[in-house]
Amino acid sequence: MLHSASGFRGIRVGAVAGAPARHEPLDGGGAGQPRIAVTYRCAKGHETSLVFAKLPEEQIPGVWDCRRCGGTATRDESRFALEDEPAEGYKSHLEYVKERRSSQDAEDVLAGALEKLRARRALPDELLGDA
């Protein structure tokens, strides 16, 4: 077992003292690719700042999902129209279930489940009173 103060900590196998790391160029410049910072704004005023490689203007996305609210954010409101909020808004799991099943189907499923419980005698009849 090596001691935590060992000189081998953080050195890859086969490394030579004084040699540049693999990810650095041999000329020692260390300069990365040119980058551009782009700011997107959603309809609620949230700002999302991203960094892209320096690309032509048409290759940088015009719209992006807002990190805070999930809405559509744009770089330039005049060029990229903001999508309106969906009319129905957020739907809960229960609302999706209600779209797929009628209230009669729900009653039938509940009655079947209660019948199975009564058949197993898991619950007494007075607790499972007919509703």
Side-chain angles (χ1 to χ4, degrees):
M1 181 170 157
L2 293 175
H3 190 269
S4 63
S6 171
F8 293 109
R9 188 179 201 184
I11 297 176
R12 67 181 169 84
V13 176
V16 178
R22 284 189 196 178
H23 62 278
E24 293 179 10
L26 294 175
D27 63 1
Q33 295 295 319
R35 305 208 181 272
I36 184 171
V38 179
T39 301
Y40 294 88
R41 289 178 188 83
C42 74
K44 294 182 180 177
H46 304 141
E47 286 191 5
T48 302
S49 295
L50 301 169
V51 177
F52 292 98
K54 186 111 174 136
L55 297 170
E57 186 70 22
E58 61 273 358
Q59 290 184 356
I60 296 175
V63 293
W64 201 266
D65 290 339
C66 177
R67 290 182 177 169
R68 291 188 61 199
C69 66
T72 302
T74 63
R75 293 187 297 144
D76 183 9
E77 290 83 7
S78 63
R79 281 187 53 202
F80 306 101
L82 289 172
E83 293 180 6
D84 294 332
E85 287 283 320
E88 63 226 16
Y90 173 78
K91 288 186 183 179
S92 68
H93 175 70
L94 181 60
E95 290 170 329
Y96 282 110
V97 171
K98 286 180 178 179
E99 285 180 1
R100 293 191 315 266
R101 294 190 178 187
S102 67
S103 58
Q104 183 59 42
D105 290 340
E107 292 291 329
D108 294 342
V109 169
L110 178 61
L114 290 175
E115 187 62 37
K116 286 179 184 177
L117 287 173
R118 286 187 181 122
R120 289 189 339 202
R121 292 300 221 187
L123 293 173
D125 288 337
E126 52 271 359
L127 290 179
L128 296 173
D130 293 328

